[in-house]
């Protein structure tokens, strides 16, 4: 559950556990988001198997670096998914120490990788942010580190490391304003749902998809295009998922009781929500409380979940299937589009 199947590194869940522990201990730390540059070219020219071997070699080197302490700091490296990694740095005295540590991980990539008589040279982009100096909300911290990483990647310069600064935020005030609106909406119960009907190939009603909607404190309905991307970026999407899941099944349970409805309720689940430790318990509890049979629930996930968090995601999907819950895949073909992932 806490190990990446491909590389053997700790996975996203392991990183989340460590961060919770550090916050509990009131310990400062740095989150570094890492993305390999032009990795798609390796996959496209040499195939995904070779790409996976390159990922494994890089992971082995970085794992040794983290375990050896040669960077001068206390480090924890995880694979987030695809060609993205995350580094958690602690036990440093200054930003110079942090920069020196990140440069050490960058330097490790300078040694060529030899596979099947081919030489591969990898580089990466590193964006970082510090807790609690840059933010004391962890999800916002991840977002800031990500922002810095994408900015340095976009710059396409010889420099590959960047610390977050407030001027990186595009339309920052509006973004922060919407984040506050989301947090307020969660507190004041202003997250709600619309039901979108779904029909089968014979034009018969098969069920409804519960779509997340939100009002601000003035009663204005915000477009999902406004609040969903920001909710994902700052780590509030799982809370929205949970709210919509609970309220929609409550409504649906009443319909079943009063009318004998045999349709299916489809709910969207984000990767953050799906791999949470208590996700399966939440599903069982909500279905029991709201009197919805598992056979009348469908969980819709996006294809990228299977790629970004394959191990924990598939484990939980298998458990959902055992419970009699249906699984639907959305956006298939917009990402990796591997039939092996679809098969799993």
């Amino acid at each position: 559950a806490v190990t990446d199947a491909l590389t053997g590194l700790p996975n996203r869940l392991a990183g989340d556990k460590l961060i919770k522990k550090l916050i509990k201990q009131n310990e400062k730390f740095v989150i570094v988001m890492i993305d390999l540059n032009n990795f798609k070219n390796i996959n496209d020219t040499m195939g995904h198997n070779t790409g996976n071997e390159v990922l494994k070699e890089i992971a082995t080197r970085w794992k040794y670096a983290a375990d050896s302490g040669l960077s001068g700091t206390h480090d924890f490296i995880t694979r987030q998914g695809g060609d993205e990694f995350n580094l958690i740095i602690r036990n440093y005295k200054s930003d110079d120490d942090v920069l020196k540590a990140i440069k050490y991980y960058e330097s490790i990539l300078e040694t060529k990788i030899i596979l099947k008589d081919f030489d591969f040279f990898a580089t990466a982009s590193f964006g970082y942010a510090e807790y609690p100096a840059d933010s004391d909300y962890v999800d916002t911290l991840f977002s800031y580190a990500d922002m810095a990483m994408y900015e340095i990647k976009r710059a396409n310069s010889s420099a590959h490391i960047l610390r977050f600064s407030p001027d990186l935020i595009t339309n920052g005030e509006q973004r922060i304003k919407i984040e506050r609106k989301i947090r307020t909406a969660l507190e004041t119960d202003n997250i709600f749902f619309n039901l979108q009907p779904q029909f089968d190939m014979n034009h018969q009603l098969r069920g409804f998809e519960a779509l997340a909607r939100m009002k601000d404190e003035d009663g204005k309905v915000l477009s999902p295009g406004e609040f969903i991307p920001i909710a994902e970026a700052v780590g509030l999407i799982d809370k929205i998922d949970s709210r919509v899941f609970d309220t929609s099944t409550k409504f649906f349970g009443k319909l079943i009781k009063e009318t004998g409805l045999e349709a299916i309720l489809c709910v969207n689940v984000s990767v953050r929500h799906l791999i949470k430790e208590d996700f399966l318990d939440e599903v069982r509890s909500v279905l029991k409380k709201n009197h919805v049979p598992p056979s009348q629930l469908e969980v819709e996930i996006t294809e990228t979940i299977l790629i970004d968090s394959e191990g924990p995601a598939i484990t939980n999907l298998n458990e959902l299937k055992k419970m009699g819950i249906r699984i639907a895949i959305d956006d298939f073909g917009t990402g990796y589009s591997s039939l092996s992932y679809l098969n799993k």
Side-chain angles (χ1 to χ4, degrees):
V2 294
T3 305
D4 177 61
L6 175 67
T7 63
L9 285 179
N11 63 12
R12 186 196 304 250
L13 187 60
D16 288 348
K17 283 185 172 182
L18 173 60
I19 287 168
K20 283 178 187 172
K21 180 183 170 187
L22 295 178
I23 291 170
K24 200 172 180 181
Q25 294 170 350
N26 200 26
E27 189 174 335
K28 70 175 183 176
F29 59 90
V30 164
I31 286 174
V32 188
M33 299 301 289
I34 310 170
D35 189 76
L36 298 178
N37 297 326
N38 302 314
F39 186 73
K40 186 176 182 293
N41 291 347
I42 295 175
N43 281 336
D44 289 348
T45 56
M46 302 298 296
H48 288 285
N49 287 339
T50 301
N52 285 343
E53 291 303 315
V54 171
L55 285 175
K56 286 197 272 189
E57 173 61 23
I58 291 170
T60 300
R61 293 181 183 185
W62 280 346
K63 177 80 164 58
Y64 174 77
D67 292 346
S68 67
L70 291 173
S71 65
T73 53
H74 195 167
D75 309 328
F76 189 78
I77 185 85
T78 69
R79 182 179 178 229
Q80 298 293 94
D83 60 350
E84 291 187 358
F85 297 80
N86 175 234
L87 180 64
I88 300 165
I89 299 176
R90 48 194 164 134
N91 292 1
Y92 54 90
K93 292 178 181 175
S94 66
D95 194 55
D96 284 344
D97 291 344
V98 172
L99 197 56
K100 184 180 171 186
I102 298 171
K103 282 182 176 176
Y104 177 65
Y105 284 83
E106 183 186 28
S107 71
I108 287 169
L109 296 179
E110 291 171 4
T111 306
K112 68 183 176 185
I113 298 168
I114 304 171
L115 284 173
K116 299 176 184 174
D117 296 326
F118 286 95
D119 293 347
F120 296 94
F121 296 89
T123 62
S125 297
F126 302 78
Y128 68 102
E130 185 182 19
Y131 175 93
D134 292 319
S135 176
D136 53 7
Y137 281 120
V138 174
D139 296 316
T140 305
L141 202 69
F142 268 101
S143 176
Y144 287 169
D146 224 27
M147 212 178 287
M149 185 268 289
Y150 279 113
E151 178 62 24
I152 198 68
K153 199 177 185 78
R154 186 191 63 77
N156 201 23
S157 68
S158 57
H160 294 140
I161 303 169
L162 184 66
R163 177 172 181 158
F164 166 79
S165 63
D167 60 335
L168 288 177
I169 302 175
T170 309
N171 300 322
E173 288 183 3
Q174 178 66 8
R175 189 181 180 90
I176 292 166
K177 190 176 174 184
I178 292 176
E179 181 187 342
R180 286 188 186 131
K181 284 180 184 289
I182 296 169
R183 293 186 186 277
T184 302
L186 285 164
E187 289 168 7
T188 57
D189 218 16
N190 273 332
I191 300 291
F192 61 103
F193 65 92
N194 284 170
L195 291 181
Q196 175 174 275
Q198 296 178 329
F199 294 86
D200 64 20
M201 295 296 284
N202 297 315
H203 305 285
Q204 299 298 310
L205 183 71
R206 79 177 287 270
F208 301 88
E209 181 177 1
L211 302 172
R213 296 293 182 262
M214 179 186 132
K215 290 179 188 171
D216 65 14
E217 53 269 36
D218 299 321
K220 179 189 170 189
V221 177
L222 271 71
S223 154
E226 279 185 274
F227 74 86
I228 293 290
I230 291 173
E232 287 174 340
V234 299
L236 293 171
I237 193 66
D238 54 326
K239 291 182 171 63
I240 292 174
D241 279 355
S242 292
R243 188 66 53 86
V244 170
F245 179 42
D246 187 31
T247 53
S248 63
T249 50
K250 186 176 181 181
F251 176 79
F252 213 67
K254 280 183 69 178
L255 277 183
I256 292 169
K257 184 179 178 183
E258 292 171 7
T259 69
L261 182 72
E262 294 183 358
I264 294 160
L265 177 67
C266 178
V267 295
N268 290 278
V269 172
S270 67
V271 62
R272 293 185 62 86
H273 197 187
L274 182 68
I275 65 173
K276 282 177 74 172
E277 285 184 45
D278 59 351
F279 173 71
L280 294 172
D281 291 335
E282 179 190 345
V283 171
R284 292 187 188 100
S285 170
V286 170
L287 290 184
K288 184 178 179 182
K289 178 183 74 171
N290 293 331
H291 307 291
V292 174
S295 60
Q296 285 182 254
L297 181 71
E298 183 170 83
V299 167
E300 184 173 299
I301 60 171
T302 57
E303 178 201 0
T304 50
I305 287 177
L306 299 178
I307 299 160
D308 291 346
S309 298
E310 181 190 338
I314 288 179
T315 299
N316 280 355
L317 290 177
N318 283 331
E319 289 301 315
L320 291 178
K321 287 194 75 174
K322 286 178 190 174
M323 291 161 61
I325 293 168
R326 299 162 190 253
I327 308 295
I329 297 182
D330 193 14
D331 294 340
F332 185 77
T334 59
Y336 187 28
S337 304
S338 166
L339 290 178
S340 65
Y341 279 115
L342 180 60
N343 184 52
K344 285 180 184 177

